[in-house]
C-alpha cells in the first residue's frame, strides 16, 4: 500500500552531519550576517521544509512575482515574500555569486547562502500588494519601513544546523518529524488549529467539532515565533496550552510548536499558513474569521473583512492541498450549559447566550475581576493571572515630554514624591541630567546622540516596568518617531503614559533658568529644540498639562488622577 502524499518525507535544505562539520570550518572565513529574530524564524522554516518548495531567500524575479500575483516565477502558489533584508552598508560589501554565512544572535553559523540577487525593493508596492495598504498602523508595514534593511539579497540556502531553542524542546517538531509521528500513529487525516492566543473553552469546543466533522485527528499548532506586538508571550501561552491538553483525547490529539514569524497579513497569511500546514503533514486546517488580522488601520477600520481570508483560501484550496474547515463562532448557552455555534441556535430568543470577547477578557485580567468557569479553564486563568496581574500591581512608565524649561523635571519630581508617599512599588526617576551623567556621559547634543539618549532612557524604563516598578522619565524627547519606539518597547511589559508638558516657547524662554535659550539665540548652541531644531508636538498623549499660572502640585496631581483613571494606582 503506498504512503499518502501528506506523510511522505519532504526535502530539507540541510546537508549531512559530516558535510555540515566541514562546511562550518569553511564558513568561518566567509562574510557573515548576524540575523534578526524574524530572519532566523524564516531561515529555520526554509531549512526544515516548512517553506517547501522554496530553496532559499527569494531572488528578485520570484519576489516580484509573489508580490504581484502570489506565485513564484514558475507559477507555483506562494503568497508571502520571504526576503533577506540587509543594511545598505552590508549590501555594498557583497558581490553577486558570493557565499555568505548566516549566523544567529550568538554568532553560531546556521547556514550559508549563495547570493544570486541583490536589489532595492519598492517597499510601498510590497505593502500595498501583500498587506493591502501602505499603512504603518499595520505591524508588518511598520516593520518594512522602519526596521527592515533597505536592500534585499536572494539566493539558495545550505543548512548547517537548526537554530537552538532552549525552551519546550520536546514540543518542537520539523515537518518531517511530524509526518513520521502521524505515520507511526496511523493518522491519515489531520486537522491543524493555528493559534497565537491562549485556548479557552470555546476553542476547545471548536476544535473538537472540526476534528469530528472532518473525521480527522487534531494538531494544535501554535505559533511561537513572532506574533503581533501586544500578544501574550509564548512562554505563558505554551504553559496554557499544556494545561488544556489533558482535556483532549490523547490518542487523537497532539500539540507541536511552530517557530513562524507571523506577518498578520490576513487573506494572504491564511493561504501561507495552509501551505505551511500542508508541509507539516496536515490534510485540513481551521481558518477563522479575520484569520491573522492585525486589527485596525489608521482610519480605525479593520484591515480585512471578516471572511476575506476564508474566501481566498477556498479559491486556492486545491493548489494548497489542504481542505479548509470553517471556524464557527462558538457561544455559551446558559440553559444547556454548553457551547454551540452562534448561527445554529434555533431558540436564540428564549435562551441566554453568554460570550466574553478578547478585549473583555483582558479588561477582567487588568482589573482583577472574576473570569467564569464556563469561559475558561481554571488552570488557564491561573497561568494568565500569574503573567498579567491586575494593573494596579503592574509596573508602568510615565514619560514627560516638552520644551527645555517647560517644567518637566519639576513636575516629575513632585510626582515621584507623591507616588513614594503612596508606597507599594519602587519608583525611579530618569531625569535628563541624571541620565546624561550616569548612562550617556559620552554623548553630545547632535540629533543622533539625543535620539540615542532617549532610546537608553526607554530601555531602562522598559526594564523597570517589566520588573513591576514605576519609571518616571523627563527628557525633552522632541521626535515623535523616537517616542513611538520607546512606547512600543515599554508597552510589552506595562502601561506607557505620555504626558505632554505644553508650556509655550515664549514662557519657557522667559524662565530660561539655565540661560540656554539666550545662548541658542546667539547661535552658540547648535540644534536647540524650539529655536533651531523642531519639536514634534505629541498628537494624542494620555495627558496634556499646561504649567502657565498653575502650580506644580496641581500639575502633579493631574497626573495622579490620570493614573487612577487608568487603573494603574488604586483609587482612594
Amino acid at each position: 500500500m503506498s504512503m499518502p502524499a501528506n506523510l511522505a518525507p519532504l526535502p530539507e535544505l540541510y546537508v549531512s552531519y559530516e558535510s555540515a562539520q566541514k562546511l562550518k570550518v569553511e564558513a568561518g572565513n566567509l562574510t557573515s550576517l548576524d540575523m534578526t529574530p524574524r530572519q532566523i524564524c524564516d531561515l529555520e522554516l526554509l531549512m526544515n521544509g516548512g517553506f517547501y518548495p522554496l530553496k532559499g531567500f527569494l531572488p528578485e524575479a520570484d519576489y516580484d512575482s509573489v508580490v504581484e500575483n502570489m506565485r513564484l516565477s514558475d507559477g507555483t502558489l506562494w503568497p508571502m515574500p520571504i526576503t533577506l533584508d540587509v543594511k545598505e552598508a552590508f549590501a555594498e560589501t557583497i558581490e553577486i555569486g558570493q557565499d555568505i554565512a548566516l549566523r544567529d544572535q550568538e554568532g553560531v553559523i546556521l547556514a550559508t547562502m549563495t547570493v544570486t540577487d541583490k536589489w532595492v525593493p519598492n517597499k510601498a508596492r510590497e505593502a500595498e500588494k501583500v498587506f493591502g495598504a501602505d499603512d504603518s498602523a499595520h505591524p508588518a508595514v511598520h516593520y518594512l519601513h522602519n526596521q527592515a534593511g533597505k536592500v534585499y539579497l536572494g539566493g539558495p540556502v545550505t543548512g548547517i544546523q537548526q537554530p537552538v531553542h532552549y525552551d519546550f524542546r520536546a514540543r518542537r517538531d520539523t515537518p518531517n518529524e511530524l509526518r513520521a509521528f502521524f505515520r507511526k500513529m496511523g493518522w491519515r487525516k489531520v486537522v491543524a488549529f493555528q493559534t497565537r492566543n491562549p485556548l479557552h473553552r470555546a476553542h476547545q469546543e471548536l476544535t473538537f467539532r472540526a476534528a469530528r466533522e472532518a473525521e480527522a485527528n487534531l494538531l494544535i499548532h501554535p505559533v511561537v515565533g513572532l506574533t503581533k506586538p501586544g500578544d501574550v508571550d509564548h512562554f505563558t501561552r505554551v504553559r496554557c496550552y499544556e494545561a488544556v491538553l489533558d482535556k483532549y483525547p490523547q490518542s487523537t490529539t497532539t500539540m507541536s510548536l511552530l517557530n513562524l514569524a507571523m506577518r498578520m497579513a490576513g487573506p494572504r497569511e491564511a493561504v501561507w499558513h495552509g501551505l505551511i500546514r500542508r508541509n507539516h503533514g496536515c490534510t485540513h486546517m481551521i481558518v477563522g474569521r479575520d484569520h491573522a488580522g492585525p486589527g485596525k488601520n489608521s482610519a480605525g477600520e479593520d484591515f480585512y473583512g471578516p471572511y476575506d481570508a476564508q474566501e481566498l483560501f477556498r479559491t486556492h484550496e486545491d493548489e494548497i492541498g489542504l481542505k479548509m474547515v470553517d471556524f464557527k463562532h462558538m457561544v455559551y448557552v446558559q440553559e444547556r450549559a454548553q457551547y454551540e455555534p452562534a448561527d445554529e441556535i434555533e431558540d436564540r430568543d428564549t435562551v441566554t447566550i453568554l460570550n466574553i470577547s478578547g478585549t473583555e477578557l483582558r479588561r477582567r485580567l487588568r482589573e482583577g475581576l472574576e473570569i467564569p468557569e464556563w469561559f475558561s479553564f481554571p488552570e488557564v486563568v491561573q497561568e494568565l493571572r500569574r503573567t498579567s496581574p491586575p494593573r494596579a500591581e503592574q509596573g508602568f512608565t510615565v514619560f514627560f515630554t516638552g520644551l527645555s524649561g517647560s517644567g518637566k523635571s519639576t513636575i516629575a519630581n513632585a510626582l515621584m514624591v507623591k507616588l513614594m508617599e503612596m508606597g507599594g512599588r519602587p519608583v525611579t526617576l530618569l531625569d535628563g541630567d541624571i541620565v546624561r551623567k550616569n548612562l550617556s556621559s559620552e554623548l553630545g547634543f547632535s540629533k543622533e546622540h539625543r535620539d540615542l539618549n532617549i532610546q537608553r532612557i526607554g530601555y531602562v524604563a522598559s526594564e523597570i516596568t517589566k520588573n513591576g516598578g514605576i519609571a518616571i522619565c523627563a527628557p525633552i524627547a522632541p521626535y515623535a518617531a523616537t517616542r513611538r519606539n520607546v512606547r512600543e518597547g515599554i508597552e510589552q511589559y506595562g502601561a506607557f503614559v505620555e504626558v505632554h508638558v505644553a508650556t509655550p516657547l515664549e514662557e519657557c524662554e522667559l524662565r530660561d533658568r539655565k540661560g540656554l535659550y539666550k545662548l541658542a539665540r546667539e547661535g552658540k548652541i547648535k540644534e536647540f529644540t524650539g529655536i533651531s531644531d523642531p519639536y514634534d508636538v505629541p498628537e494624542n498623549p494620555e495627558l496634556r498639562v499646561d504649567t502657565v499660572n498653575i502650580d506644580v502640585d496641581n500639575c502633579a496631581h493631574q497626573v495622579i488622577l490620570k493614573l487612577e483613571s487608568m487603573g494603574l494606582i488604586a483609587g482612594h
Side-chain angles (χ1 to χ4, degrees), residues 455-510:
Q455 281 162 5
R456 289 181 187 175
I457 291 174
Y459 170 70
V460 176
S462 75
E463 288 293 317
I464 291 169
T465 302
K466 174 165 82 179
N467 287 294
I470 299 173
I472 303 174
C473 314
I476 295 172
Y479 312 117
T482 316
R483 294 194 301 256
R484 172 173 172 160
N485 281 342
V486 170
R487 177 184 288 272
E488 284 175 359
I490 287 168
E491 282 185 339
Q492 302 172 47
Y493 306 119
F496 179 86
V497 186
E498 185 175 33
V499 181
H500 176 214
V501 183
T503 312
L505 182 65
E506 308 70 64
E507 177 72 19
C508 295
E509 214 168 333
L510 277 177

Side-chain angles (χ1 to χ4, degrees), residues 398-402 408 411-412 415 472-477 497-501 545 559:
V398 181
F399 192 92
F400 289 94
T401 169
K408 300 180 302 294
I411 302 169
L415 176 67
I472 303 174
C473 314
I476 295 172
V497 186
E498 185 175 33
V499 181
H500 176 214
V501 183
V545 294
V559 181

Side-chain angles (χ1 to χ4, degrees), residues 158-175:
T158 303
I160 294 176
Q161 64 184 36
Q162 297 191 33
V164 182
H165 298 289
Y166 297 109
D167 57 324
F168 306 114
R169 294 178 66 147
R171 294 258 178 228
R172 294 175 183 270
D173 303 282
T174 67

Side-chain angles (χ1 to χ4, degrees), residues 252-386:
T252 55
T253 306
T254 191
M255 175 171 85
S256 179
L257 308 183
L258 178 65
N259 197 45
L260 173 71
M262 285 182 70
R263 308 315 203 242
M264 309 308 296
R268 279 196 184 219
E269 180 111 7
V271 172
W272 188 42
H273 287 173
L275 293 167
I276 294 168
R277 293 326 189 297
R278 176 202 67 198
N279 288 339
H280 282 79
C282 301
T283 53
H284 296 68
M285 175 173 147
I286 301 171
V287 180
R289 285 179 57 216
D290 193 21
H291 182 96
K296 307 264 183 251
N297 64 18
S298 295
E301 285 145 16
D302 285 338
F303 267 96
Y304 312 115
Y307 299 107
D308 291 1
Q310 292 181 347
E311 280 160 22
L312 191 66
F313 197 103
R314 200 171 275 119
T315 317
H316 295 287
E317 209 169 45
D318 292 346
E319 261 188 290
I320 295 170
L322 259 189
K323 284 203 169 35
M324 178 171 89
V325 180
D326 272 2
F327 181 106
K328 297 211 172 23
H329 180 49
M330 307 297 292
V331 290
Y332 188 74
V333 180
Q334 193 169 14
E335 283 75 1
R336 294 193 276 278
Q338 65 182 16
Y339 275 92
E340 298 175 17
D343 50 5
E344 291 174 22
I345 301 171
E346 305 284 329
D347 52 356
R348 61 172 46 257
D349 302 333
T350 56
V351 294
T352 319
I353 292 173
L354 302 173
N355 191 19
I356 289 184
S357 67
T359 316
E360 170 66 7
L361 172 69
R362 285 190 291 276
R363 184 184 78 88
R364 290 184 178 214
L365 282 168
R366 199 167 60 228
E367 299 180 12
L369 302 173
E370 187 228 4
I371 294 165
E373 282 235 10
W374 60 262
F375 175 75
S376 193
F377 305 99
E379 300 91 328
V380 172
V381 173
Q382 190 187 341
E383 262 324 316
L384 291 173
R385 286 205 197 281
R386 276 176 50 193

Side-chain angles (χ1 to χ4, degrees), residues 198-199 235-245 380 383-384:
L199 296 188
F235 300 103
T236 304
R237 285 177 14 235
V238 176
R239 289 196 300 268
C240 288
Y241 301 138
E242 292 191 323
V244 179
L245 261 188
V380 172
E383 262 324 316
L384 291 173

